[in-house]
Amino acid sequence: MKNELQTLRLFSPLFPHIYRKNEWGDLDDYREDLSAGEVLEYEDEILALIEKEKLPSEGERGLAVYLDDDLSRMVYSINPTVEEWNGELWGVTELQTHGTLSPSELAELTEWLSSQFSDGWGEGLEQREIKVEDGELYVSFWDSSDRFFIRPEDELKGSQSFGFGMTMGGMR
């Protein structure tokens, strides 16, 4: 059915770092990268920041309001969030689509999301500090390293034994 909304969830690693307070309560100049397991304790604070970043003009469609014509006919809504899976905190992009996306539509969409995470929505998010008890936390959904990927939930969770360092095109 073309008009029936379907849910698709895409997972990507997070790239968090923190500037910790020193013994005098000042922020250190040293940026400490955190693992996906270490950042789990800040899940609620990260979710609050994501919620705060939503613009009224986006409404329930979220980032889908910024899609070009071809994809906007297929994708009703795009809403980034974070979620714990397998003891780690992951970036999750929840999509509502009109029917199932073809492999080429999914590839086009993940390319679009990658640019949103690096230069659009994600760039704004990663520049907002999250005040936490021991310092200031920053979270990015994107990284220029080969550790970055966007993968459908079933593909990621079905390939869990293959490890974290897969690229977007690494598994088929």
Side-chain angles (χ1 to χ4, degrees), residues 26-50:
D26 299 320
L27 289 179
D28 279 336
D29 292 335
Y30 172 71
R31 172 185 142 160
E32 179 185 338
D33 291 334
L34 298 177
S35 72
E38 291 171 321
V39 78
L40 249 180
E41 70 178 282
Y42 303 112
E43 180 177 7
D44 291 342
E45 292 88 342
I46 295 167
L47 285 169
L49 176 64
I50 291 170

Side-chain angles (χ1 to χ4, degrees), residues 4 11-12 17-19 44 54 58 64 71 75 77 83 92 107 113 119 123-124 127 136 148-149 155-156 161 172:
E4 188 177 317
F11 276 61
S12 54
H17 61 273
I18 192 167
Y19 293 91
D44 291 342
K54 291 181 179 177
E58 295 169 350
L71 280 176
V75 179
S77 67
E83 180 178 302
V92 179
L113 280 171
D119 296 325
E123 183 178 24
Q127 294 175 4
E136 287 183 358
F148 172 75
F149 61 84
E155 190 178 306
L156 176 75
S161 63
R172 286 285 170 246

